[in-house]
């Protein structure tokens, strides 16, 4: 492994752990001025009517006090995702809804690096099920096209890309990733029947993808119900995707995230636990020098009792920035220098 982690520092996005509330599902963005912005959802419990989107900015190495970015009058908020447009606008995407299967994607815009925000609007009018990024960051391709890693949970779990060719103003849905579900799920959801010998999934499927671009292909890794991460490839900039295939990387049916470094290495943060709905500990950093073909664990980020989950990872120059849920009491933050 040519990649070397030569300096790593852990801290927390806010100092005092939450006592009567939980926090979860953080997202990161690097602002045009070099500051970092982090957002997450927070409330009495996941899915409760009081759950709102919170966020804070990191200036000169210090996180400011968190503030509420969005709330919806008794309807829970979920899974924020941040994106910086070419014109410098910071966009906040997040889900709203009492049921995950029917939640809607909302968005707000800041023109001053997160100090103030526009009114909320639907990303795709009439959406029911979740368009746009479901949990992980948007990927900007070499061509300028945006791919939002998306998935649906109304019935079978299905992953896809939401595509924008105008820097996130309008969106259209790609073809869904093909999965081979069990016979009973095909019948129950009116899919074409698949012979038992060709079935590859025992559970509901794949969700919450994460992307990177390599050569002429876009790669997608997905959380799954099968005890391991699944992989799909697009060779036409996200329009359609190959069948989801197992990677052998253990997955506990919890969130993952990837990023490609300046040298072409791909970094993955995940819980390497090979059991669907398994423990969300430990959480580790993996690296692939072969475009996602072979992976090696390069760092243990957290372990022990409690939940360490739903990571977000960015790479800027020779620095990795990572956040994740820390026992649902805080958001852990790593700044890691790499030498490749």
């Amino acid at each position: 492994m040519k990649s070397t982690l030569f300096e790593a520092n852990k801290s927390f996005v806010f100092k005092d752990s939450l006592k009567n509330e939980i926090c979860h599902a953080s997202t990161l963005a690097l602002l045009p001025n070099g500051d970092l912005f982090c957002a997450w959802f927070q409330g009495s419990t996941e899915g409760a009517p009081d759950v709102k989107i919170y966020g804070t900015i990191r200036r000169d190495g210090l996180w400011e006090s968190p503030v509420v970015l969005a709330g919806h009058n008794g309807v829970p908020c979920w899974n924020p995702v941040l994106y910086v447009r070419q014109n410098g606008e910071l966009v906040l995407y997040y889900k709203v809804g009492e049921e995950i299967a029917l939640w809607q994607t909302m968005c707000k815009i800041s023109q001053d690096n997160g100090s103030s925000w526009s009114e909320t609007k639907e990303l795709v009018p009439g959406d029911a099920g979740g368009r746009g990024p479901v949990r992980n960051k948007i990927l900007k391709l070499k061509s300028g096209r945006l791919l939002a890693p998306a998935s649906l949970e109304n019935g079978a779990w299905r992953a896809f890309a939401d595509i924008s060719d105008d820097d996130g103003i309008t969106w259209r849905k790609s073809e869904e990733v093909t999965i081979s579900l069990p016979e009973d799920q095909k019948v129950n959801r009116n899919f074409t029947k698949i012979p038992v010998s060709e079935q590859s999934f025992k559970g509901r499927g794949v969700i919450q993808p994460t992307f990177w671009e390599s050569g002429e292909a876009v790669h997608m890794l997905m959380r799954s119900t099968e005890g391991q991460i699944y992989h799909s490839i697009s060779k036409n900039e996200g329009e359609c995707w190959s069948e989801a295939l197992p990677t052998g990387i253990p997955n506990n049916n919890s969130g993952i995230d990837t990023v490609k470094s300046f040298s072409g290495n791909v970094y993955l943060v995940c819980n390497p636990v090979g059991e669907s709905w398994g423990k969300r500990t430990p959480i580790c950093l993996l690296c692939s020098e072969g475009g996602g073909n072979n992976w090696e664990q390069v760092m243990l980020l957290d372990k022990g009792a409690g939940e360490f989950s739903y990571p977000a990872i960015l790479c800027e120059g020779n620095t990795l920035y990572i956040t994740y849920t820390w026992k649902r009491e805080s958001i852990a933050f790593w700044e890691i220098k790499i030498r490749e």
Side-chain angles (χ1 to χ4, degrees), residues 131-132 145-152 158-164 171-178 209 211 218 220 232-234 236-242:
R131 295 289 302 278
R145 169 174 286 183
L146 302 187
L147 297 183
S151 58
L152 300 171
R158 296 106 65 206
F160 64 98
D162 240 317
I163 300 170
S164 176
W171 297 87
R172 57 188 177 85
K173 185 174 177 286
S174 78
E175 292 185 7
E176 295 176 1
V177 176
T178 301
F211 299 148
V218 181
M220 174 192 293
S232 180
I233 296 176
S234 173
N236 56 6
E237 297 194 317
E239 299 282 354
C240 57
W241 297 86
S242 64

Side-chain angles (χ1 to χ4, degrees), residues 76-97:
C77 298
W78 316 69
N79 296 8
V81 175
L82 295 166
Y83 172 70
V84 179
R85 285 179 172 160
Q86 187 172 348
N87 63 5
E89 292 179 340
L90 177 63
V91 187
L92 170 67
Y93 305 91
Y94 60 98
K95 308 299 187 192
V96 175

Side-chain angles (χ1 to χ4, degrees), residues 2 25 27 32 58 71 73 75 92-93 107 109 140 152 158 163 172 190 196 212 265 277 289 294-295 330 336:
K2 297 178 183 178
T27 178
R58 182 177 184 254
N73 298 321
V75 181
L92 170 67
Y93 305 91
C107 61
I109 296 172
K140 186 172 185 176
L152 300 171
R158 296 106 65 206
I163 300 170
R172 57 188 177 85
N190 298 316
V196 173
W212 77 90
N265 288 347
W277 301 117
E289 293 180 344
N294 299 291
W295 296 87
S330 190
I336 303 172

Side-chain angles (χ1 to χ4, degrees), residues 305-320:
E307 174 181 351
F308 312 104
S309 67
Y310 270 56
I313 182 170
L314 297 178
C315 183
E316 177 65 18
N318 69 337
T319 304
L320 299 176

